[in-house]
Amino acid sequence: MLQKILTAILGDPNKKEIKKIQPLVGKINAIAAEYEKTLTDEEIPKKTEEFKKRIAEGESLNQLLPEAFALVKTACQRLVGKKWLVRDSEVEWDMVPFDVQMIGGIILHQGKIAEMKTGEGKTLVCTMPIYLNALEGKGVFLVTVNDYLAQRDSEWMGGLYKFLGLSVGVILHDQNRQEKRAAYACDITYGTNNEFGFDYLRDNMVTTKEHLVQRKLHYAIVDEVDSILIDEARTPLIISAAAEESTDKYGRYSQLVTQLIEKDHYTIDEKMKTAILTDDGVRKMEELLGIDNIYTEAGFLEAHHIEQALKAHACYKKDVDYVVKEGEILIVDEFTGRLMSGRRYSEGLHQAIEAKENVEVRRESKTLATITLQNYFRIFKKLAGMTGTALTEAEEFGEIYKLDTIVIPTHRPVTRIDFNDSIYKNQRGKYLAVIQKIKELHSKGQPVLVGTISVEKSELLSTLLKRDGIPHNVLNAKQHEKEAEIIKNAGQVGAVTIATNMAGRGTDIKLGETVAERGGLYVLGTERHESRRIDNQLRGRSGRQGDAGGSQFYISMEDDLMRLFGAERVQKMMDFLKIPDDQPIENSFISNAIESAQKKVEGHHFDIRKHLVQYDDVMNVQRDIIYARRRKMLESESTKNEIILMIEEEVEGIVMNQAAERGHESWNREKILEDIFAIHKNENYPMPSLAEFTDREEMIDMLKKYLTSEYAKRREILPDEQIANEFERGLTLSITDSLWMEHIENMKSVREGIGLQGYAQRDPLVEYKQRGYHLFETLLGSIRSNIVNTIFKIQISPDVRPPMPAKEEQEIITNEAEVESVLTGNEKTKTTQASSKPEVNRNEPCTCGSGKKYKKCHGAGK
């Protein structure tokens, strides 16, 4: 309401922004007309070199924008009719940017989100800001949702970039390190959000700078930005190693929970997707397990696994939340309907579902490195995005990512007719009406795209259509391999296509001949999604580039959204009025109730994401510090100064702990000397008595001199400077990585239990920040202390080689491992899993380089 009042008083800010850009578009067109007359094809790449030189000499990108955009437009004009290979098929270039596409390009260059309707040519729009920003030579990323689009667009637009004189690379999941490094070294790099994020984590696990692949994160344009930055915002990318815990318990608990009865033994919260044991349920489980108290005898962890088994049994449905394919549980993305291949639910939930469906139960995993997509994309110096549906999430883009959303005008007016919702009392009446409408459209040859929200519903509709003899295609998670082909034909005469929310996003549905005269593509939604944006995406499949089309949603009071968010009163009213099952009603009260329910859910999810960002920011700051220190050590030519600095800080810490600022009489000089000698003791060193010192700084300087001189002697044992640097670098990274992994687990434990602080009238977030700060201070101290102690205690010989950090072998494996993902409740995570390290003989030296036997170091307790 406030927004409407402000718009009425101050005018539409979106229109003002577009109006401000219009003169710049005129300038671009004037320069492009001049280039068309004066530049030869051979001079176009030379112009690129000229632009690069001018930037190097201090000219800004904003100053260069009109000329750079004009050169892209000129190159597009010159390429019309030219052909090259895209995905092994020859394509002919036929695109020259319209004015509205140039406006979109300017918005993207400014680091904003451009909302552009389906079919408006977003793929071409991004070429102009990509070209302009690539001139800086710092690399530009174009982020897409899957490998298919990344490879297609890199080849399709690659012809344009190469003509302009720029190099293009693409990052794909199955590439090796050398291929990735070459792709990142290009001026422009296409790839998926997952692969970019995983490469960032892998780069922060390597032990030599030669193994780094990714550039510093400079500028990225995110295609389908709402899908990546909103739908997958909470997705932690995780690189992990398999744990050693037995999987037998999952099968046992899965069988036992089937003996529980809903309401008697447990209750279900459908909104939160949770199932909770009642007191009677706890007693029943204790009886089945043959124990007196689950929580004391089985332990908290086992009680947790029992609850996960119950949740898998009661809340997660086959062909809705997941499918079983070739003996594997594959999660279905609730937003796109796509199979999330390799992704896994976390905290034992995926194993519980595997046990429920009698497929092989895989072990849980231990986190080696992790970052959320939200935090990864916030690292970029400049970020922009484009999509057909962003305005409903503009507040979130602004608050979390500091990104403004601008709606770009369409090249041609939208002529699609969006009909009012058709509302039915129950699902039976709704599906009868849907089938009747499909028959009606099919009989006149008008293509129809039927949208469903689950695999189960798409197969139900398919069964009904088969019964009535209506030919159709089904596009859901089970047929996702044929997605491009099915969508390509969805606009042909008489085509009937049933699709889950994926609906071929990223691929235009082009109309066949005579389809426009038959009314264009008709989008028929069989259920409202809990997000208005997903509904708008479905509508947007029709009416591209001014094409004819129509859309309508068919809704029943038994649909999940209506049932879970307050349709009881409406249903009772319809029953009271004896409205027939197949009689639709169009009522503004019900339509408003639907939109109100959607807004509530959207607000709820936004609050969750916002809350998670506040928690993630704590870990994000810590990660930045550790990774920055790690990168500094990795790239330093000499490690000597870094080690000396650590030794000096360790000495200062020891003295500060035992020597108060005032009153040298109270100093614990004996303990100071004991701690210094615990690091290293040389009986032959002429160590003065600490009793002589009454000035603390003088004492610190003397002790620093002692340890640094002893360090220098140990360093001289090594044959040359290069080997010394490699040795110290490997040792430092190994200890840092090992302790950082432990810290990740510690922070995870703190976060899982921090909610209980609310019962003590304390703010859990404040408590989490304080505990996180203290844990991180302890971590930094432990890293320094471990490095200094190990440097002095490790057995050095002239033929020593740098120790391999604990994760190096795993990092190499994860580079080629399959991307997995985990979902915690409604929280998605993606994981790359590393295989276990080879067994080490317990009496051999530990691989960490400490000089101790394995059984007394990292093998202790194993």
Side-chain angles (χ1 to χ4, degrees):
M1 181 61 73
L2 179 61
Q3 185 65 42
K4 288 180 180 178
I5 294 169
L6 289 173
T7 300
I9 298 170
L10 303 173
D12 186 344
N14 197 90
K15 287 181 180 176
K16 284 185 176 180
E17 192 68 32
I18 300 296
K19 191 175 180 182
K20 199 191 303 181
I21 292 171
Q22 290 286 5
L24 199 51
V25 174
K27 195 173 180 181
I28 293 166
N29 284 328
I31 297 170
E34 185 62 29
Y35 282 168
E36 185 60 29
K37 294 176 192 171
T38 59
L39 287 182
T40 64
D41 286 1
E42 293 73 25
E43 288 172 322
I44 286 176
K46 290 178 183 175
K47 201 74 179 168
T48 296
E49 292 306 311
E50 177 201 317
F51 291 160
K52 286 182 177 179
K53 186 178 177 186
R54 284 163 58 184
I55 288 170
E57 291 170 353
E59 192 165 344
S60 73
L61 293 183
N62 287 338
Q63 290 172 313
L64 198 61
L65 186 150
E67 293 172 74
F69 275 43
L71 191 68
V72 174
K73 182 173 181 179
T74 302
C76 288
Q77 290 168 330
R78 299 289 173 84
L79 287 173
V80 170
K82 299 278 190 348
K83 297 179 181 178
W84 57 84
L85 286 179
V86 175
R87 302 284 292 172
D88 300 323
S89 298
E90 197 173 59
V91 298
E92 183 176 316
W93 186 267
D94 61 352
M95 296 184 290
V96 177
F98 306 125
D99 286 1
V100 290
Q101 289 176 312
M102 285 187 272
I103 291 171
I106 293 165
I107 294 297
L108 292 175
H109 164 67
Q110 292 173 346
K112 298 175 182 175
I113 291 174
E115 180 181 293
M116 303 187 72
K117 301 300 178 194
T118 300
E120 290 296 304
K122 292 190 288 291
T123 309
L124 182 64
V125 168
C126 67
T127 59
M128 293 170 278
I130 283 177
Y131 171 74
L132 173 62
N133 284 268
L135 295 171
E136 286 189 294
K138 296 176 182 177
V140 175
F141 293 177
L142 192 285
V143 188
T144 67
V145 292
N146 59 50
D147 276 356
Y148 170 82
L149 291 175
Q151 192 162 7
R152 184 200 72 178
D153 292 353
S154 67
E155 293 172 0
W156 191 13
M157 300 299 113
L160 171 63
Y161 295 129
K162 287 167 187 171
F163 184 51
L164 286 160
L166 295 179
S167 57
V168 186
V170 60
I171 299 297
L172 300 172
H173 174 57
D174 55 0
Q175 289 173 326
N176 61 36
R177 184 181 278 146
Q178 288 71 29
E179 291 169 327
K180 285 193 170 183
R181 191 183 299 114
Y184 280 119
C186 292
D187 296 308
I188 300 154
T189 308
Y190 282 76
T192 65
N193 50 309
N194 295 342
E195 216 50 45
F196 283 137
F198 276 125
D199 284 340
Y200 171 77
L201 289 178
R202 292 179 190 121
D203 272 2
N204 285 288
M205 294 172 69
V206 301
T207 55
T208 65
K209 62 182 179 182
E210 289 74 28
H211 284 163
L212 294 169
V213 298
Q214 196 171 83
R215 291 195 192 206
K216 288 184 179 176
L217 306 181
H218 177 58
Y219 175 51
I221 295 177
V222 182
D223 192 12
E224 306 298 1
V225 67
D226 54 329
S227 175
I228 292 172
L229 296 191
I230 301 291
D231 298 342
E232 301 209 20
R234 291 180 282 161
T235 305
L237 301 175
I238 297 175
I239 293 180
S240 68
E244 297 178 5
E245 196 174 20
S246 169
T247 58
D248 295 343
K249 62 189 174 191
Y250 295 105
R252 185 185 180 204
Y253 294 149
S254 182
Q255 289 176 350
L256 292 180
V257 296
T258 60
Q259 299 179 50
L260 302 180
I261 301 166
E262 187 184 351
K263 293 184 181 173
D264 289 346
H265 297 133
Y266 63 90
T267 58
I268 297 174
D269 185 334
E270 288 189 67
K271 293 180 189 177
M272 301 303 293
K273 259 189 168 358
T274 58
I276 301 166
L277 285 170
T278 62
D279 290 343
D280 285 343
V282 171
R283 283 191 286 273
K284 179 68 175 176
M285 282 304 299
E286 288 167 347
E287 178 190 319
L288 293 171
L289 288 165
I291 59 179
D292 292 331
N293 190 311
I294 289 175
Y295 295 94
T296 56
E297 293 184 51
F300 172 77
L301 194 59
E302 296 310 298
H304 165 76
H305 285 308
I306 292 168
E307 289 168 358
Q308 294 292 64
L310 180 59
K311 188 193 288 189
H313 170 70
C315 304
Y316 284 77
K317 298 175 184 174
K318 183 179 175 180
D319 288 341
V320 176
D321 300 297
Y322 62 89
V323 299
V324 181
K325 189 174 182 181
E326 297 175 1
E328 189 178 355
I329 301 297
L330 299 177
I331 297 165
V332 177
D333 190 313
E334 64 172 311
F335 294 103
T336 66
R338 285 188 172 92
L339 279 183
M340 300 197 287
S341 182
R343 298 193 188 181
R344 295 177 65 77
Y345 295 105
S346 69
E347 298 182 353
L349 178 58
H350 206 94
Q351 287 83 354
I353 295 173
E354 286 170 332
K356 169 190 169 185
E357 297 295 344
N358 293 313
V359 301
E360 182 187 354
V361 179
R362 290 167 57 186
R363 289 179 177 176
E364 292 190 64
S365 56
K366 179 184 177 183
T367 300
L368 303 181
T370 177
I371 190 171
T372 61
L373 284 172
Q374 220 166 29
N375 283 327
Y376 174 69
F377 283 108
R378 288 161 74 201
I379 298 171
F380 282 85
K381 186 179 177 184
K382 183 164 78 171
L383 186 66
M386 51 188 184
T387 179
T389 47
L391 200 58
T392 55
E393 317 294 343
E395 182 186 356
E396 184 164 350
F397 284 125
E399 192 161 334
I400 293 178
Y401 300 100
K402 310 299 181 223
L403 291 171
D404 292 333
T405 301
I406 305 296
V407 180
I408 310 300
T410 55
H411 178 56
R412 296 188 180 96
V414 176
T415 60
R416 182 189 68 239
I417 301 170
D418 296 328
F419 296 97
N420 290 330
D421 295 346
S422 194
I423 303 163
Y424 295 82
K425 188 169 76 172
N426 54 37
Q427 290 205 6
R428 179 181 175 278
K430 178 183 76 172
Y431 281 116
L432 287 172
V434 165
I435 297 301
Q436 187 56 43
K437 183 67 176 178
I438 293 171
K439 280 184 182 177
E440 176 193 319
L441 294 166
H442 181 65
S443 66
K444 64 174 186 173
Q446 185 173 1
V448 56
L449 175 67
V450 186
T452 66
I453 66 166
S454 71
V455 175
E456 183 184 48
K457 297 285 174 63
S458 67
E459 293 186 339
L460 169 63
L461 262 175
S462 178
T463 302
L464 295 173
L465 289 176
K466 282 176 186 172
R467 189 187 66 188
D468 285 5
I470 300 173
H472 61 279
N473 284 310
V474 179
L475 175 56
N476 62 29
K478 293 183 177 179
Q479 288 85 26
H480 67 102
E481 299 92 347
K482 303 172 186 173
E483 178 179 341
E485 183 186 343
I486 291 172
I487 280 296
K488 184 179 174 184
N489 297 316
Q492 301 306 307
V493 173
V496 177
T497 308
I498 302 172
T500 45
N501 289 326
M502 63 205 311
R505 205 170 169 183
T507 306
D508 281 346
I509 300 177
K510 296 186 179 179
L511 302 185
E513 289 183 29
T514 76
V515 167
E517 297 89 75
R518 300 168 194 259
L521 177 67
Y522 196 98
V523 170
L524 196 159
T526 59
E527 206 162 324
R528 283 281 195 174
H529 194 274
E530 59 184 31
S531 167
R532 289 169 297 163
R533 180 168 47 83
I534 305 297
D535 290 344
N536 291 338
Q537 285 167 9
L538 183 61
R539 283 196 198 276
R541 306 312 303 158
S542 171
R544 62 179 290 280
Q545 290 272 330
D547 285 343
S551 75
Q552 188 171 24
F553 281 89
Y554 281 61
I555 297 165
S556 92
M557 290 296 109
E558 294 177 345
D559 291 347
D560 288 345
L561 181 71
M562 302 306 296
R563 186 171 50 80
L564 295 176
F565 293 95
E568 297 92 345
R569 284 188 303 148
V570 179
Q571 180 136 24
K572 284 176 183 175
M573 179 186 74
M574 295 174 84
D575 288 338
F576 178 75
L577 296 173
K578 294 186 169 44
I579 294 174
D581 290 356
D582 59 352
Q583 181 180 322
I585 59 169
E586 291 182 9
N587 183 290
S588 59
F589 169 73
I590 299 175
S591 296
N592 290 338
I594 294 168
E595 186 160 351
S596 175
Q598 289 176 310
K599 284 179 179 176
K600 279 181 189 173
V601 180
E602 288 166 1
H604 173 66
H605 288 319
F606 176 29
D607 288 342
I608 290 173
R609 287 189 289 265
K610 188 176 168 184
H611 188 62
L612 283 168
V613 166
Q614 293 172 325
Y615 278 89
D616 285 347
D617 279 345
V618 177
M619 198 66 184
N620 207 31
V621 171
Q622 297 178 4
R623 185 191 303 105
D624 288 347
I625 292 169
I626 292 294
Y627 283 1
R629 288 184 172 204
R630 207 180 181 286
R631 183 63 71 101
K632 185 179 179 183
M633 178 59 72
L634 205 61
E635 295 179 344
S636 60
E637 293 299 320
S638 173
T639 57
K640 186 176 180 180
N641 289 340
E642 289 296 316
I643 300 297
I644 288 174
L645 185 62
M646 289 185 211
I647 291 170
E648 291 179 341
E649 287 176 351
E650 189 68 6
V651 170
E652 287 173 7
I654 289 169
V655 175
M656 294 292 188
N657 281 337
Q658 305 300 333
E661 192 169 347
R662 293 177 184 172
H664 64 85
E665 298 85 1
S666 64
W667 293 355
N668 192 342
R669 291 175 171 82
E670 187 179 334
K671 178 62 176 167
I672 291 171
L673 200 59
E674 182 184 320
D675 289 349
I676 292 293
F677 283 163
I679 295 172
H680 175 72
K681 186 174 183 179
N682 181 357
E683 300 285 1
N684 299 319
Y685 187 87
M687 175 75 73
S689 169
L690 297 192
E692 298 175 14
F693 293 92
T694 56
D695 184 293
R696 192 172 55 179
E697 294 306 317
E698 287 181 6
M699 185 195 298
I700 288 173
D701 288 342
M702 184 276 292
L703 293 173
K704 282 181 180 177
K705 185 179 177 183
Y706 162 64
L707 281 182
T708 53
S709 63
E710 291 297 298
Y711 160 67
K713 289 176 191 173
R714 290 181 65 76
R715 214 171 193 270
E716 286 170 5
I717 297 172
L718 295 166
D720 59 43
E721 184 75 10
Q722 182 182 352
I723 287 177
N725 288 332
E726 287 177 5
F727 172 74
E728 289 175 349
R729 184 179 293 113
L731 189 69
T732 301
L733 295 177
S734 174
I735 290 169
T736 301
D737 290 349
S738 181
L739 293 175
W740 173 242
M741 281 189 285
E742 287 180 18
H743 180 73
I744 290 173
E745 293 299 319
N746 289 340
M747 289 293 287
K748 188 176 173 186
S749 297
V750 170
R751 184 163 173 179
E752 285 170 357
I754 205 70
L756 297 173
Q757 293 297 320
Y759 294 110
Q761 303 302 308
R762 293 181 185 143
D763 185 336
L765 179 59
V766 172
E767 289 291 314
Y768 179 69
K769 286 180 178 179
Q770 289 175 349
R771 292 192 192 184
Y773 174 77
H774 292 307
L775 279 174
F776 190 62
E777 286 286 294
T778 304
L779 169 70
L780 295 180
S782 296
I783 289 172
R784 183 188 67 228
S785 183
N786 270 266
I787 290 169
V788 171
N789 276 275
T790 307
I791 285 286
F792 281 102
K793 290 182 173 58
I794 196 166
Q795 296 172 3
I796 297 178
S797 62
D799 61 345
V800 73
R801 283 292 177 266
M804 177 182 277
K807 292 184 302 188
E808 172 62 9
E809 180 173 348
Q810 294 170 330
E811 190 280 326
I812 294 168
I813 297 168
T814 57
N815 229 357
E816 299 168 2
E818 183 176 351
V819 173
E820 295 186 357
S821 178
V822 185
L823 294 169
T824 308
N826 292 323
E827 181 177 337
K828 304 174 193 170
T829 68
K830 299 180 187 156
T831 309
T832 293
Q833 184 149 325
S835 65
S836 304
K837 291 172 62 183
E839 285 295 318
V840 178
N841 187 302
R842 289 174 54 74
N843 290 308
E844 288 179 1
C846 187
T847 54
C848 77
S850 65
K852 299 178 184 176
K853 288 185 178 180
Y854 177 70
K855 66 183 179 182
K856 296 200 173 183
C857 190
H858 281 80
K862 294 186 180 179

